[in-house]
Amino acid sequence: MTSSAPFKPIRPKPIRKAVFPVAGLGTRFLPATKAIPKEMLPIIDRPLIQYAVDEAREAGIEQLIFVTGRGKTAIVEHFDTAYELEATMSERDKSLDVLEPTRIQPGNLVTVRQQVPLGLGHAIWCARAIVGDEPFAIFLPDELMIANQGSTGCMKQMVEAYNEVGGNLISVLEVPEEEVSSYGVIAPGRQDGALTEVKGLVEKPRREDAPSNLIISGRYILQPEVMRVLENQGKGAGGEVQLTDAMAQMIGQQAFHAVTFAGNRYDCGSKTGFVEATLAIALEREDMRDEVRAMAKRLLGN
Ligand code: G1P
């Protein structure tokens, strides 16, 4: 009899599912977000949620899980077929290509409800039955990640890193020290190119307690075990069930790395971040660039 060596997979399990926590109330954008979800606010001609879904698909992820709450139906409508609209557009000989990004393979969009807003960790836990026993991605749609020219999107960069090291990954970026207390912060270990070992994680630390100025920037690849940790996770910073606290418990049990994204991140949860994202994308788009540049000059008076 030959001894049975443990089977070592060449690649870790593929990332096929993404969770989008979209149950938040969006109070920072009131009254704009009174009747529409904040994820439907458009950066030019695409709602924020579309950018996140595009980024997921670029990374090869097709199964989308939206954790929603009351008043969020417009998000699901956005990814549905609008027969009347399409019929009218066709009658008028208008191209339906603009609707292409909103098409989802039947069965690839699932919604679960977060009935009470108990925090990001709780929102993710609400998706446990759909995620099942496989690694999955998380996108916080407020965080708009735009790749540098010629490089791939944030999640694709993370999936490529994941294929090398497996385990858990989070995207990180440096912020000025005075901003760390608004975010999840990592205690960095060994660094190798864009990959940094994660030694510790703390949610919204006081500036003087922060282990670094590297913050979690809204993209995650996590192993399904995080759901079991979340099951028993008590309240943390802000009296909410924090995903960061659950992830912190997995350090040492499983590989945990941070990926520094080669690109720009815009915090579209803030008004100025939203304006910055709009301008930045307008200045990148060939169909608008020249006009917007001239307009900005005019407005700035030079
Ligand atoms: C959440 C996470 C935090 C992360 C941030 C990124 O915080 O809990 O770790 O740094 O998103 O935007 P929130 O913005 O929901 O307070």
Side-chain angles (χ1 to χ4, degrees):
M1 286 251 297
T2 51
S3 67
S4 56
F7 173 66
K8 190 166 183 293
I10 300 170
R11 281 195 156 197
K13 270 191 187 177
I15 309 298
R16 305 183 309 147
K17 300 179 180 177
V19 178
F20 301 80
V22 292
L25 293 177
T27 49
R28 281 197 273 177
F29 278 85
L30 282 170
T33 48
K34 188 178 171 202
I36 57 162
K38 63 173 173 169
E39 297 78 10
M40 289 303 291
L41 294 177
I43 302 283
I44 306 175
D45 49 12
R46 285 176 183 227
L48 270 177
I49 189 70
Q50 183 76 61
Y51 289 90
V53 165
D54 291 350
E55 189 189 324
R57 287 169 151 172
E58 185 205 7
I61 301 169
E62 285 298 333
Q63 296 185 31
L64 315 177
I65 305 165
F66 293 148
V67 182
T68 69
R70 286 169 64 81
K72 296 285 181 162
T73 43
I75 298 176
V76 182
E77 294 280 330
H78 177 76
F79 293 103
D80 205 350
T81 306
Y83 284 106
E84 285 172 354
L85 175 67
E86 292 192 16
T88 310
M89 286 173 72
S90 298
E91 265 168 37
R92 295 181 187 167
D93 282 333
K94 288 200 186 299
S95 166
L96 297 180
D97 289 354
V98 284
L99 296 174
E100 220 35 60
T102 69
R103 298 195 196 286
I104 305 277
Q105 278 280 81
N108 274 350
L109 189 158
V110 180
T111 64
V112 293
R113 299 281 277 210
Q114 184 191 25
Q115 289 88 349
V116 275
L118 295 180
L120 177 60
H122 178 261
I124 300 306
W125 179 75
C126 287
R128 66 199 178 284
I130 318 294
V131 166
D133 193 25
E134 55 181 290
F136 63 105
I138 300 172
F139 291 77
L140 308 190
D142 276 3
E143 300 277 347
L144 186 51
M145 309 295 265
I146 301 294
N148 290 338
Q149 284 281 324
S151 89
T152 60
C154 183
M155 186 51 72
K156 186 154 191 211
Q157 291 177 20
M158 290 175 72
V159 166
E160 279 161 8
Y162 168 79
N163 287 337
E164 299 297 322
V165 295
N168 304 276
L169 290 106
I170 47 181
S171 65
V172 293
L173 54 89
E174 273 185 52
V175 297
E177 268 173 32
E178 56 273 19
E179 290 177 21
V180 287
S181 54
S182 304
Y183 297 100
V185 181
I186 74 162
R190 217 164 47 88
Q191 200 189 336
D192 181 9
L195 266 188
T196 305
E197 210 184 326
V198 178
K199 295 269 200 199
L201 285 165
V202 42
E203 181 68 16
K204 302 194 174 67
R206 292 189 311 179
R207 182 179 172 176
E208 52 275 30
D209 299 333
S212 73
N213 66 341
L214 283 172
I215 61 125
I216 307 172
S217 66
R219 301 290 183 273
Y220 311 71
I221 290 176
L222 297 178
Q223 296 299 315
E225 287 77 17
V226 73
M227 295 297 191
R228 288 206 278 280
V229 181
L230 282 168
E231 180 103 32
N232 301 308
Q233 187 64 54
K235 289 177 180 171
E240 298 191 337
V241 179
Q242 297 291 354
L243 179 61
T244 303
D245 295 342
M247 294 190 303
Q249 293 194 49
M250 293 169 72
I251 298 168
Q253 317 272 329
Q254 297 180 341
F256 219 118
H257 290 91
V259 179
T260 306
F261 171 51
N264 290 308
R265 162 258 188 185
Y266 302 98
D267 174 12
C268 292
S270 90
K271 290 174 203 174
T272 46
F274 195 90
V275 173
E276 187 188 9
T278 306
L279 263 177
I281 290 175
L283 289 169
E284 264 179 27
R285 276 177 51 160
E286 269 173 35
D287 60 334
M288 309 177 73
R289 188 186 295 159
D290 297 342
E291 227 176 303
V292 173
R293 193 174 288 270
M295 189 189 298
K297 270 195 172 168
R298 211 165 51 235
L299 288 171
L300 291 168
N302 53 43

